[in-house]
Every structure is written in structure tokens, then in C-alpha cells.
Amino acid sequence: MLTDFSQENRRKFIRFAWAQDRLPADDDEFQRSHTRLLIKPPAKHYSNPDIALPRADTCFFNIELPRYSTRDIMELKFLFAINQTVTMNADEENMDDDQQNNPDYSEEE
């Protein structure tokens, strides 16, 4: 998916996922900084994952990626997330707070 993104959207993806403006310049810098991207399932359960947005733990370069039904939906959700994210503070209210009233949303305890 990222190979299909423009350079600008790739930069936005790195900013969304890691809160940095660029990746390390070379393999040595990756090793020195212990940089790696971890993709993990979301902490919340969605009865319809296609309504969920990807989430990022920017301190750790982790992405919570719902199991979307198609690649096209995943790409649309990422494009929305990287272009609409205005804060990296998970303590602030966000779109997920509105989803709790959505019948397709359920949170596992």
C-alpha cells in the first residue's frame, strides 16, 4: 500500500505512525536508533472493522491495524487518518469516542 502512496503521503504516514518527519537515513542509523515498525491488532474489538481507523503509538512506532475486509478500505482509512490527524495526544477525545454509540462498535473488556 505504501508503495502506491505519493512522497507527500509517505511523509504523512511516518508523521502519523512515528511523529517524525523522516525515517533513519541508512541501515546503520536504523540499528543505532533501534527503529522498527510494529503492526498489531487493535486493542478494541469492532464487530465491523471497516468502521475503525488505524491508530498509532508514536513513541514506539506501532500501528494498531483493524482487519479490514479489503485493501481498498485499508488504504482509504489510512489516507483519512494521515490527512486528518491533528493531535498525537491519545488522552484527548477523538472520533473513536463517537463510535461507542454506533451499533457496529463493541469493546471487549
Side-chain angles (χ1 to χ4, degrees), residues 26-41:
D26 56 33
D27 289 343
D28 290 336
E29 192 177 340
F30 265 98
Q31 289 179 349
R32 272 194 311 278
S33 63
H34 304 286
T35 301
R36 79 340 164 226
L37 171 63
L38 176 66
I39 300 172
K40 59 186 184 177

Side-chain angles (χ1 to χ4, degrees), residues 54-82:
R55 294 178 63 120
D57 300 325
T58 56
C59 292
F60 304 105
F61 203 10
N62 296 344
I63 292 184
E64 290 184 10
L65 185 63
R67 188 178 294 273
Y68 297 115
S69 60
T70 68
R71 182 185 185 275
D72 288 340
I73 290 172
M74 178 178 66
E75 186 171 337
L76 287 172
K77 295 295 184 173
F78 263 111
L79 286 170
F80 180 84
I82 67 175

Side-chain angles (χ1 to χ4, degrees), residues 35-55:
T35 301
R36 79 340 164 226
L37 171 63
L38 176 66
I39 300 172
K40 59 186 184 177
K44 296 178 181 180
H45 172 74
Y46 298 92
S47 58
N48 178 4
D50 289 345
I51 67 166
L53 291 170
R55 294 178 63 120

